[in-house]
Amino acid sequence: ARAPTDGDEASREESTDRLNGGRHRPIALVLSSGLSIKMAGVTGVTGQSSTPGEDSSLDDTLASLMRTLKVKKERLEQREKALEKRCEALNEKHADLFGDKSDSDVLTLNVGGDMISVLRRTLCSVEGSMLAARFSGRWDDSLEKDGEGNFFICQPIELFKPMINFLRARAISTPLAPPVRSPNLPAGDREDFYRMVEYFGMTSGI
């Protein structure tokens, strides 16, 4: 039998390399000008770096997103400024109608000769009622007043005060508190009380 030669060994490696599809070719280091190293025959390498074209496409996408965000931010700022102007206009209109009136104003009422102090928001708590419209602040200058400038209510205090106390109790009512009940007046005062409540437009609220 003939001993294998170097040519036979090289032939077998070449045949094996062809069967494996060239996937395991050895890395050949080729010196070029004594400075650079060239790696040849390597396939299936992961983590490849992006190409200049891909980098450019990513930069364009990011730039487009930044432009879109900038436009949306400018639109939001414009809407915010427009809303602020509308609020200022509404406040000016409210000031023209009601002056410096506030829901927290404490009003002193002269009720049939008896004085009583009430928050404006208590008197205005039943929306749509004549009592709420009367003391909204818009008509303060034209309402009846006594000699000391207090609002005058031409009603007996024993009828008017139960209505105010009901509104006060309802203003501080909570889900855990006992329910607020309508005033229970003596039989002789009930018709006059209901007549007064109807006059002030408070029937739905009491």
Side-chain angles (χ1 to χ4, degrees), residues 1 19 36 41 49 53 62 64 72 75 81 102-103 109 112-113 120 129 131 144 146 152 159 175 180 185 191:
L19 290 174
S36 62
S49 60
L62 291 175
S64 177
K72 290 186 176 182
R75 290 177 179 175
K81 291 180 180 179
S102 170
D103 288 344
L109 308 181
R120 187 186 295 276
S129 66
L131 186 69
E144 299 90 347
D146 63 14
F152 182 76
L159 298 181
V180 180
L185 278 74
E191 289 186 0

Side-chain angles (χ1 to χ4, degrees), residues 166-180:
F166 172 83
L167 297 177
R168 287 168 170 166
R170 197 177 71 165
I172 61 172
S173 179
T174 65
L176 298 179
V180 180

